[in-house]
Amino acid sequence: MPTTERTQFKKLEDLPNVGKATAADLRLLGITQPDQLRGQDPLHLYQELCRITGQRHDPCALDVFMAVVNFMEGGPELPWWEFTAERKKTYQI
């Protein structure tokens, strides 16, 4: 699906891999619309979430952020766990 077709996603919960909990995390980060994910750094989102909440979140949250940013930037719809190996290699988290 080309990036231009991503405009059909109006709510965060419409995105693949995003349920109520992830949508709530994204809103804590000031992201309320799917198109705001374009150009975001997933690691920065994860680190900010940990800072804002005062706790270290499961690294799988970073996998989800990687998946949704990639998707909104035109990547394929993949389950979040497809990003686990990349996260471990890139971020050692």
Side-chain angles (χ1 to χ4, degrees):
M1 180 183 291
T3 304
T4 54
E5 293 181 36
R6 299 299 198 255
T7 58
Q8 69 184 354
F9 297 95
K10 302 297 181 195
K11 298 184 314 183
L12 295 171
E13 292 88 343
D14 293 338
L15 295 170
N17 298 298
V18 177
K20 290 180 182 180
T22 298
D25 289 343
L26 290 169
R27 288 184 183 104
L28 273 176
L29 296 167
I31 295 172
T32 59
Q33 300 295 318
D35 64 343
Q36 292 175 292
L37 288 162
R38 288 190 187 110
Q40 293 287 336
D41 176 355
L43 179 61
H44 177 75
L45 294 174
Y46 175 77
Q47 291 171 330
E48 275 299 293
L49 180 64
C50 294
R51 185 189 66 75
I52 289 168
T53 61
Q55 62 182 359
R56 183 177 184 272
H57 288 260
D58 189 301
C60 294
L62 176 53
D63 300 345
V64 174
F65 292 160
M66 291 170 71
V68 297
V69 168
N70 179 69
F71 177 74
M72 285 306 296
E73 290 180 345
E77 180 178 333
L78 297 171
W80 62 265
W81 56 86
E82 291 290 328
F83 291 84
T84 302
E86 180 183 345
R87 182 242 316 151
K88 288 179 177 180
K89 180 181 173 187
T90 304
Y91 303 116
Q92 291 84 40
I93 296 176

